[in-house]
Amino acid sequence: MNTIAVLALLGTVIALFALSALLKMVRDLQNEVRGMASVAPVPTMQRSVPRFASADGLPTFVLVVREECYLCAERAQRLALAPGSAVQGHLVLLAATPGCADWVASTDVTAIIDADLLGTVAVGATPSLVKYAADGTEEWRRAVGSDEDLDTYLGVSAQEPIEVR
């Protein structure tokens, strides 16, 4: 009986060390992601989506979201609050499911529900913001982890804050 108790205690200690190592790896990954958010947008290969071209010469900012993602809902609501005068470009919400359109209903944000187009844009993480030039060519893409990230990528300055309702 004593042997079983000792083995159980050793197993518990080993499990605690493994859990501690796993938590350290998660903490390191979180720190890396936080560091990446402060980096300027990285240019990507030249993808072109004609649907996001604009005749007025302004870029199009496309927020790619999933309905199951609570961060996507928060970023979409923040995007919906962006006044047209503060953002120099068109605002689009792109999703595969119709429920996402409700997040930006009755705002200046255009909701596009199109799974095929979502596959063409091909983002790896949601929510992501993709900027398209006036000719529909992708300029950059960034994962949007916070409202501050979204404000930065949209070019909303401290002089023109987005008011939360």
Side-chain angles (χ1 to χ4, degrees):
M1 187 67 157
N2 288 337
T3 305
I4 294 174
V6 170
L7 288 176
L9 181 62
L10 286 175
T12 303
V13 170
I14 291 171
L16 287 174
F17 279 119
L19 181 61
S20 174
L22 180 64
L23 289 174
K24 183 184 181 319
M25 289 189 314
V26 168
R27 193 174 322 116
D28 291 344
L29 286 172
Q30 286 176 335
N31 290 334
E32 285 182 34
V33 168
R34 283 188 193 112
M36 289 173 51
S38 63
V39 176
V42 178
T44 61
M45 67 182 203
Q46 295 295 315
R47 291 187 180 132
S48 184
V49 180
R51 180 135 183 209
F52 298 132
S54 62
D56 59 6
L58 292 175
T60 302
F61 295 95
V62 179
L63 183 65
V64 182
V65 296
R66 286 182 308 121
E67 190 170 22
E68 307 82 27
C69 171
Y70 77 93
L71 287 176
C72 294
E74 290 177 3
R75 297 301 88 76
Q77 291 166 358
R78 182 66 170 196
L79 184 70
L81 295 174
S85 62
V87 178
Q88 297 301 311
H90 304 280
L91 301 176
V92 174
L93 180 94
L94 177 61
T97 54
C100 297
D102 296 338
W103 298 339
V104 294
S106 303
T107 67
D108 293 336
V109 178
T110 303
I112 298 176
I113 308 303
D114 188 339
D116 293 334
L117 182 59
L118 184 62
T120 302
V121 172
V123 297
T126 56
S128 288
L129 188 69
V130 185
K131 181 181 180 185
Y132 291 91
D135 64 355
T137 304
E138 182 179 324
E139 291 185 12
W140 50 256
R141 60 178 55 209
R142 299 295 292 167
V144 184
S146 68
D147 287 342
E148 291 77 22
D149 290 345
L150 183 62
D151 292 350
T152 301
Y153 301 146
L154 291 175
V156 177
S157 67
Q159 290 82 22
E160 301 172 299
I162 295 175
E163 294 181 22
V164 178
R165 297 177 195 164

